């Protein structure tokens, strides 16, 4: 535990809720709308950027770095998560949420004005730093401002906020990409920053400002900050080595592993790597679910555009139904009557995730209808809604108030690190089997299918399905 300093000054006065109030009751309404709007912003970014990415990578002559453009976001977010956890436990979540929104917008602007793929990757890295700060800050807001009975409902609201972006975001991003240019997908999103700032921040300060009531102000744990930096640098070096695939790449790979392994062991709960019962398995499952699903999903639009000749709009729209089913899964887990069966529900969710990932590459066979991906991904997102929200609820149940920031950071580190490493592994397999030539001049977005490398895509999806199956076993170990 971090050392303790002076007791924090009095926090702003907080309204006293009634027992019957929900998340949209008088006490919580403004805060709920504000923080859900922040999640809405992140959702628009994720869905819109995923649709525009194949075109951006081709125009910047960087298809070989396609996975790196996604994983750079998760790499820097790892450092942001630990920093946010320390910052929020010491001073409350207002600081990390504010700084995170600002960095997120700055990264979008940098990516939207990039002149080459490496500059684009740098913009994604700045976005990731901001995203890491925001997501942990919001978890601490939920822990501090809402009673335990309302936490499943606000987590379900977070998931529901992805529904509209998953439908409108894909269509809007595809239309903008085709008719105006992919850069405006990035340059237009920062406008949405204004609304979260106006709605969320005053309420965060009022209801969740400062450290927990009655607790002393904790000092920054410099060791954890150093370990977080080690994770980010190590993951970044491993990703670079995975994209390069030359003998000289062994050097950054070895250095990256030497930095990463001890840092991970120092920041995640003891026993995470062996799925010890309780909190360690909750943290591990979050990484397994998020990493396998996001690594696979990142390649779906590229597969549909280059192998089946879909436009960016239709490729993005194939994932649109997932927003609704994800929200449905999150809503199902929030029902009080399913609480005794939460672990069983999570196991079912992981089965759905594994099945969706395994079915998706079937569209590489010309006789398989393209809509197969849309159906499979709808079921996969239903499973993710069950798993992601449930792991968030379980983490808060297993965390003391003064540890909510640190444990939330551990959960998000598992999420982000798994995303980064599995994307790097998938990207390496993709490049090794000729995927870097996919979408090259004459075989790209505008020209339909061509330069086919189906094995490169299969090498991404099938291993991720196997990883998701491991999560089914881990789901049996979520409670002590």
């Amino acid at each position: 535990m971090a050392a303790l300093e002076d007791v924090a000054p009095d926090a702003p006065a907080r309204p006293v809720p009634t027992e019957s109030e929900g998340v949209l009751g008088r006490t919580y309404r403004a805060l709920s709308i504000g923080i859900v709007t922040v999640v809405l912003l992140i959702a628009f970014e994720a869905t819109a950027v995923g649709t525009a990415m194949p075109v951006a990578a081709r125009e910047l002559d960087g298809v070989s770095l396609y996975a790196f453009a996604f994983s750079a976001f998760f790499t820097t977010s790892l450092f942001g998560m630990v920093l946010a956890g320390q910052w929020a436990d010491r001073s409350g979540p207002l600081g990390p949420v504010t700084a995170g929104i600002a960095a997120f917008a700055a990264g979008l602007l940098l990516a939207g004005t990039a002149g080459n793929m490496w500059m684009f990757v740098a913009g994604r890295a700045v976005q990731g730093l901001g995203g890491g700060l925001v997501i942990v800050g919001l978890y601490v807001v939920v822990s501090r401002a809402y009673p335990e009975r309302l936490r499943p409902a606000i987590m379900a609201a977070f998931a529901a906020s992805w529904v509209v972006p998953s439908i409108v975001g894909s269509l809007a991003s595809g239309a903008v990409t085709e008719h105006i240019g992919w850069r405006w997908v990035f340059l237009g999103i920062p406008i949405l920053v204004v609304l979260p700032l106006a709605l969320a921040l005053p309420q965060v300060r009022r209801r969740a400002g400062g450290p927990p009531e009655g607790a002393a102000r904790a000092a920054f744990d410099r060791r954890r900050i150093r370990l977080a930096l080690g994770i980010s640098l190590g993951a970044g070096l491993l990703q670079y080595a995975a994209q390069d695939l030359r003998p000289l790449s062994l050097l950054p790979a070895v250095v990256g592993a030497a930095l990463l392994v001890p840092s991970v062991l120092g920041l995640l709960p003891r026993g995470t790597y062996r799925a010890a019962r309780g909190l360690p398995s909750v943290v591990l499952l979050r990484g397994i679910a998020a990493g396998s699903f996001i690594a696979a999903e990142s390649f779906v639009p590229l597969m549909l555009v280059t192998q089946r000749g879909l436009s960016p709009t239709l490729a993005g729209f194939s994932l649109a139904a997932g927003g609704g089913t994800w929200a449905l899964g999150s809503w199902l887990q929030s029902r009080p009557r399913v609480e005794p069966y939460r672990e069983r529900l999570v196991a079912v969710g992981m089965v759905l995730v594994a099945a969706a990932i395994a079915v998706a590459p079937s569209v590489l066979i010309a006789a398989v209808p393209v809509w197969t991906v849309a159906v499979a991904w709808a079921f996969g997102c239903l499973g993710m809604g069950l798993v992601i929200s449930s792991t968030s609820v379980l983490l808060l149940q297993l965390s003391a108030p003064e540890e909510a920031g640190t444990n939330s950071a551990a959960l998000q580190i598992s999420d982000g690190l798994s995303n980064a490493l599995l994307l790097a592994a998938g990207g390496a397999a993709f490049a090794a089997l000729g995927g870097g030539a996919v979408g090259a001049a004459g075989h790209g977005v505008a020209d339909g299918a061509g330069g086919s490398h189906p094995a490169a895509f299969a090498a991404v999806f099938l291993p991720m399905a196997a990883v998701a199956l491991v999560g089914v076993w881990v789901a049996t170990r979520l409670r002590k």
Side-chain angles (χ1 to χ4, degrees), residues 21-25 27-33 146 150-151 153-154 157:
E21 278 192 278
V23 294
L24 291 179
T27 302
Y28 302 105
R29 185 183 303 127
L31 176 62
S32 298
I33 293 173
Y146 294 88
L150 292 181
R151 291 172 189 167
I154 195 64

Side-chain angles (χ1 to χ4, degrees), residues 59 164 167 225 261 272 318 321 352 357 409 414 432 445-446 461:
E59 184 174 312
V164 173
I167 299 173
I225 299 297
V261 173
T272 297
S318 68
L352 292 175
I357 298 172
S414 178
V445 174
F461 286 95

Side-chain angles (χ1 to χ4, degrees), residues 163 166 319-332 377-386:
V163 176
S166 67
L319 306 177
T325 57
W326 191 311
L328 175 61
S330 188
W331 177 82
L332 288 173
W377 227 247
F379 280 100
C381 286
L382 174 65
M384 287 295 285
L386 296 172

Side-chain angles (χ1 to χ4, degrees), residues 181-205:
W182 64 267
R183 295 182 185 276
W184 289 102
V185 173
F186 293 86
L187 298 176
I189 293 177
I191 297 172
L192 299 174
V193 170
V194 176
L195 186 58
L197 286 174
L199 286 176
L201 299 186
Q203 291 300 318
V204 170
R205 181 180 182 277

Side-chain angles (χ1 to χ4, degrees), residues 9-22:
D10 292 338
R14 301 172 185 176
V16 178
T18 63
E19 286 296 324
S20 61
E21 278 192 278

